[in-house]
Amino acid sequence: MNRFVIRTGAGLLLVAFLFACMPRSTPTASLTPLSPTASPSASAQPIVILSDDGDGLRLVSTPEEITLTVGHVAYLPVEIQSQHRPVTVHAQTLIHTFVNDLTPAEPGASPAYEVALLEAGQSELKLQTLRMRPHELTLTFTAGESAVTVSLVLQPAIQPHTPLFGTFYVPNRMTPPYELVYGPDCGACPTTSGDPPGSTRDRTCYRDLADSCRCHYYQWVYDADADERARASAPQMQVFATQFLRNTWAVWGNTEVEPGNYLWSALDWVYTRTNLSSLEQDCSPLMSDVMYGAHGWFSCPEYANPDGSNGFYDVDNTFMLEHFRAYMRALNTRYAAELRFIEMGNEPAAEFYLCPCSAPLDIACDASSGPNQPVCEDGPGSPEFAAVYGDLLFTAADIAAEEMAAINPHALVITGALEMVPTRDTHLTATTEYLIQQGLLENDNVAVGIHQYPYFYPPPWLSDENGSWLNCGYYQPGQDIFWLPDGCETAPPLSGDFAFPSRTTPEKTFTARDLWQKQDERVDLSGLLHDAEALGVVDEIYFFDTELHAGFHDSDPTTSPAREALAGLRIAAINSHQRVIGTEFIFAPGDPAVYNLLVKNLSGAASIYAWDAPLMDADYSGIVYKLFTRGDEDILAIWSNAEAAQWLVFSLHENSTQFKQVTLTTFRPAGEAGGELSASIVVDVTPPAAIQVHPIEEFHFLSVISDRPGFGWLADISVAIEPPPAVTAPPTS
């Protein structure tokens, strides 16, 4: 039995064998790589063939390109003809691409690092990538004084309807290096020398003028110095394995600045593949707000809706609908190579677009057409709202889905936007149900947008300066509308008892264990899924969260990295198991190591619903596990809210299974007062008979690569209070 154990110190999550995802030294000399063995199943990858004859090591044949499904493990066969001595393999690639579970330590161009010692004529290299864009992998094979270099292009592919991840506040977010010019007739606003007459760069004057029919987005002016600065700092974004980033707002009215005239420059800089290299940009930029058409030429009288209103609000305005379709066609034709995600808008069925009057502003909900109609006071969850605005939202999403399917079939439309507030159970809004009933999900390239707010409101472990419950609501007097005090949107403490206020019942006391269980239940999407089941679309519905307000919030001084990382791990596992195919945490941790391990274990994985891991109505009171599979690999995410440590027991199937690699990753608090989260990683060749799971403070990933994926190797999972007796495993290889 070959067993390899790695443990990290407090807060040091950069482990040499499995990954290197923080800016630290590249793993080389301190590492003893595992010698690869033959795969138990046939590999779909082409083969690299070398010869080690009397003339030294030489290349016989090699593929030029390899396709890797994001997150999935693949094996690259290596044959060395006439091999009579060990061959050392070094790799050079980009961070978050792994060769034998090793990746560069830092973003940017990496030095070569050792990944294997080949001693048999038939060997293989384990490959995995979390990256979203094509990039190079260079392998150098060395035997004595003889060396051969093989350069491969890795082409990432996405497994449809499987989870991907992002973090919003990544370092050095790139901004296209352009300055905006408004025009063509901005009245008395000042014009910059060299700009067209009547134009202005004065944003304040543009806003004060408030005449977007005459003065609107007009042109972009390129800034070479800003371009150089952006490219120089761009690689540091990649310390996080951010697979998509909601960072492009392609507002229709700001892109199609006149009928048929598009302002592409800034979008070209982001989405043209030949502009930004994989060293500079790896994630897939998520494009948002594409349906917003309420200003610019939309506000001109000659383009008014049949009822006299202005803007994209009326499905009877065939001129507007035709131009929106043309816009979707133009976007996808121009950017198909890089454009994977289009979000119709930020909560398009809410006050941001249709109902500014529902916010605490001096606007009445009394319009007879367009925005701010009386139904806004009923809210986007009401049938009345759905009846007024549902046709518009469905028509826009349906047009986008049709055009994308025809031109850019690998891209995804995100629409709906359900407000998942922390004060009530969440169900599909009436508007989203209306969209589904109209046939929204007949398009298989559509996901329902959600924004999760699973934190406690108020957090019972904190109080304000007056000893009152912390106010975690937006629109607080004297503050920015989205300002929140420290302590909001944070994870519960890991221990202690806390009183929770109630308006209808006497004050209750909860333990930390109670709070963690309740937070799991607040993340859980069973309410939405039961509604989808009632509509007959539970097998067709997928969710996408572009703004998740919990997890990894360790920038808040009232919490700790350990609490926030544990919350992020749980949230990601629950979401991934409940058909959430995009999870973007609005916060980013100071240390990306735990987040990167999360992405490594869950991206591209399909859910399995078996034993005590159902799609809906999971029990979060004791040991919790979620089951996933991808390729030849099965993955369990495991944690506990039980009162004491328990054992998760695995009964292996009686049929013989060839296990290739089993990896158990365990997260526990460490460091001063348990403030950091450390990881221990155990690599074996057979699954454990049982795993002891301690409540609240632990989280585990168990990865099993075998010739019976989909958990065909597992007969049963059970929970035991006492450690189980020794189990004799069935025959394995």
Side-chain angles (χ1 to χ4, degrees), residues 628-652:
F628 305 93
T629 191
R630 57 185 183 189
D632 290 341
E633 181 184 22
D634 294 329
I635 302 157
L636 292 90
I638 306 162
W639 68 96
S640 176
N641 294 314
E643 293 185 2
Q646 297 178 337
W647 293 83
L648 193 62
V649 182
F650 304 105
S651 300
L652 301 188

Side-chain angles (χ1 to χ4, degrees), residues 505-524:
T505 61
E507 191 174 86
K508 294 182 178 180
T509 299
F510 293 96
T511 65
R513 183 178 66 84
D514 296 328
L515 296 178
W516 280 92
Q517 176 182 337
K518 288 184 178 296
Q519 178 163 286
D520 288 345
E521 292 167 352
R522 294 157 84 94
V523 176
D524 186 275

